Amino acid sequence: MLERASKVIPGGVNSPVRAFRSVGGGPLFIKKGEGCRLIDEDGNALIDYIGSWGPLILGHRPKCVIEAIEAVLEIGTSFGAPTEREIHLAEAIRDAVPSMEMVRLVNSGTEAAMSALRVARGFTGRDLCIKFEGCYHGHVDSLLVKAGSGLATLGLSDSAGVPPAFAATTISVPFNDLNAVAAAFENHKGKIASVMVEPVAGNMGCVPPAPGFLEGLRKLCTDNEALLIFDEVMCGFRVSFGGAQGLYGVTPDMTAFGKIIGGGLPIAAYGGKAEVMNYVAPVGPIYQAGTLSGNPLAVSAGLAMLTYLKEHPEVYTTLEKRTAALCSDNLPGVTVNRVGSMFTFFFTTEPVYDYESAKKCDTKRFAAFFHHMLEHGVYLAPSQFEAGFVGLAHEDADIEATREAARQFFAA
Ligand SMILES: *Cc1c(COP(=O)(O)O)cnc(C)c1O
C-alpha cells in the first residue's frame, strides 16, 4: 500500500509525521479503530496513544458521537447556510471557556490559528507576532519559522516556499523565557500585534508552562497593548474542560481550538473578546470565510463530544489517574513530562522546559523504544517531539500492558 500510495500522494501520507521518517520504517495503514485500539491492514491490534493526534479523548467511535453523526446523515451533509446547531456549539464553547465571548467556526487548527493572527493584526493595526520555538500553530506561512540567530530577532522560514518577508513578521523566542519576550517587546516597541503560545506545549513533546510564565505573558501583553492568543488546539478540553486557561487561571484575549472540539471530524474554532471579534466580517473589516465552515456533521460530532465531557466531569479525574499510573515507572535515562492526559517520555536525564532542552534527547534510542513498543502492540507517536494521549477507552489493563512492554525495553 505504501508503494502504491507513494505514487499518487507525496510520501504516501497526507500529513508528514505519519510517514515514520524520524523513527525509520514505514507507516502502518489502518483499517479501523475500536475503543483504545487501532486495527491495521494486517490485522494487528494496537493500543493507540495517538488518538488521531489528540481529538479522540473518548476513544474510537464513542457511542454519543456516532449517534449524533447518524442523526445528521438523515437530513443533509452541508447547507452553506446557518443552522441552529452552530449556535449550540458556539454556546457550549463559550460556557466552558468564558473568554470565548464570540466564536467563529473553521475547518482546521491551522485555519483557526491563521485567522486569530489576522484578527489580532487587524484589530491592533500592527504586523509583528511573537511565537515560541518548538510551538506549532499549523502550517501557517508566517508561523513556520525557526529560531532567530539571537534573542528577539525576526524569524527565518523553516519551510521552502515561504517568502522571507512573511517569516520576518514573526519573532521567535524560547518557551518559558519571559525575559526574551520582554526584550522582543522592547526592541519592537508599538509594532507587536500578538503573542501566540501553546499554553501547554505539545508539539515539541509535552512541555508545561513554568510557574508564572503564562501570568507574565498576560502582563507583558496588557502593558504593551498586544493581544495574547492561546493556541489551545491540542490542550483545549484536554488538560481540563476549561482548557489550559481554566487550569492555570490565565485569561487570553483570543483562543484557537480544534482537535477535541470536532469529536474526530474536521472542525476548529477561534474567538475571544466580543470587542475584538466584532472586527471580523461581515460585522467588521477583517475578511475570513469558509464554504464548509460550520459543517453539520462536524458540528454535531463536536457538540456530542463537548456535551458528554460536560455531563461527565469525572472523565478528567479518571484520565489523570490512568495517565499518572502510565507515567509512574522510573525508566532509566528518561524524563517524563505530563499535564493531565498529555505526556511525553523524553530520552534525556535532564529536565525538558523548552525546545533546546528537548533537542538534547537521544532520538536514536527513542526510535528503538518506539519500534519495541510497536512490536509489543503499543502505538506511540512516531517522533520524540510529540505528545501522547490517554483516552477514556484506555482501561487499567491496557495501561498495565503498556507499562510492562516499556519495562521490558529497559530491562533488555
Ligand atoms: C494540531 C495543532 C494545530 C494544527 O491543527 P490542524 O487541524 O492540524 O491544522 C495548531 N496548533 C496546535 C497547538 C496543534 O496541536
Side-chain angles (χ1 to χ4, degrees):
M1 280 185 192
L2 182 60
E3 230 179 87
R4 199 170 148 197
S6 299
K7 292 200 175 114
V8 285
I9 302 169
V13 293
N14 280 309
S15 198
V17 69
R18 297 179 195 172
F20 281 30
R21 290 282 160 99
S22 65
V23 289
L28 301 175
F29 279 67
I30 302 304
K31 191 175 197 162
K32 64 176 213 163
E34 204 60 70
C36 75
R37 283 184 170 68
L38 285 172
I39 317 294
D40 73 10
E41 288 285 355
D42 295 325
N44 300 305
L46 304 160
I47 305 176
D48 177 14
Y49 288 100
I50 302 180
S52 192
W53 302 92
L56 304 184
I57 192 168
L58 301 180
H60 293 273
R61 305 187 74 250
K63 194 163 166 278
C64 59
V65 172
I66 297 300
E67 285 176 357
I69 295 172
E70 281 170 354
V72 176
L73 282 175
E74 298 301 315
I75 55 174
T77 59
S78 186
F79 306 122
T83 58
E84 186 180 4
R85 68 180 72 72
E86 290 160 72
I87 312 171
H88 294 159
L89 182 58
E91 287 175 348
I93 293 171
R94 181 202 56 194
D95 292 349
V97 184
S99 74
M100 293 286 276
E101 292 170 8
M102 294 186 87
V103 181
R104 176 56 71 78
L105 298 178
V106 293
N107 306 290
S108 72
T110 296
E111 246 190 285
M114 178 186 78
S115 307
L117 179 54
R118 181 181 306 147
V119 172
R121 286 171 166 157
F123 178 77
T124 59
R126 302 172 177 180
D127 288 344
L128 301 182
C129 174
I130 296 176
K131 85 172 277 285
F132 297 91
E133 290 160 26
C135 282
Y136 176 68
H137 306 292
H139 61 97
V140 180
D141 278 326
S142 71
L143 296 176
L144 290 177
V145 297
K146 43 181 172 238
S149 49
L151 274 194
T153 52
L154 297 177
L156 297 170
S157 176
D158 212 7
S159 164
V162 175
F166 290 11
T169 60
T170 304
I171 300 157
S172 185
V173 298
F175 191 71
N176 275 328
D177 187 343
L178 280 177
N179 290 334
V181 180
F185 271 117
E186 202 48 47
N187 291 346
H188 303 279
K189 254 198 180 345
K191 294 189 179 148
I192 292 170
S194 66
V195 172
M196 187 176 288
V197 65
E198 289 181 72
V200 175
N203 286 291
M204 52 180 140
C206 176
V207 180
F213 177 60
L214 299 175
E215 291 84 349
L217 293 181
R218 177 64 278 175
K219 181 163 187 333
L220 281 166
C221 284
T222 304
D223 291 351
N224 291 280
E225 295 172 343
L227 298 190
L228 178 59
I229 305 174
F230 276 7
D231 181 348
E232 296 222 39
V233 170
M234 184 184 288
C235 59
F237 297 92
R238 166 64 66 178
V239 298
S240 88
F241 187 64
Q245 54 197 280
L247 185 64
Y248 296 105
V250 175
T251 306
D253 300 295
M254 298 189 75
T255 306
F257 288 103
K259 299 195 169 122
I260 287 177
I261 70 156
L265 268 73
I267 205 169
Y270 72 95
K273 283 188 179 148
E275 183 199 357
V276 175
M277 289 302 286
N278 277 323
Y279 272 66
V280 177
V283 188
I286 300 166
Y287 190 70
Q288 185 274 311
T291 300
L292 290 174
S293 293
N295 174 267
L297 287 171
V299 170
S300 301
L303 191 55
M305 178 71 104
L306 298 196
T307 305
Y308 186 93
L309 292 173
K310 183 180 178 185
E311 288 171 359
H312 298 82
E314 73 281 4
V315 166
Y316 291 96
T317 34
T318 304
L319 292 184
E320 169 75 28
K321 205 176 87 220
R322 288 190 188 151
T323 318
L326 178 69
C327 295
S328 62
D329 291 317
N330 202 347
L331 307 173
V334 172
T335 294
V336 184
N337 280 6
R338 180 180 75 84
V339 178
S341 57
M342 273 172 78
F343 67 94
T344 300
F345 296 138
F346 287 106
F347 280 67
T348 171
T349 51
E350 289 169 48
V352 176
Y353 50 87
D354 65 5
Y355 192 47
E356 278 304 311
S357 49
K359 279 198 303 192
K360 288 185 184 148
C361 286
D362 182 344
T363 51
K364 282 216 178 74
R365 191 157 161 76
F366 171 81
F369 176 67
F370 168 83
H371 284 292
H372 165 94
M373 295 302 277
L374 198 56
E375 274 156 33
H376 289 77
V378 178
Y379 188 67
L380 299 172
S383 162
Q384 172 70 91
F385 306 109
E386 297 288 349
F389 304 101
V390 173
L392 196 62
H394 292 90
E395 308 270 350
D396 291 336
D398 302 310
I399 301 285
E400 284 315 306
T402 306
R403 290 173 70 184
E404 183 51 35
R407 281 188 217 112
Q408 280 177 24
F409 176 82
F410 289 95

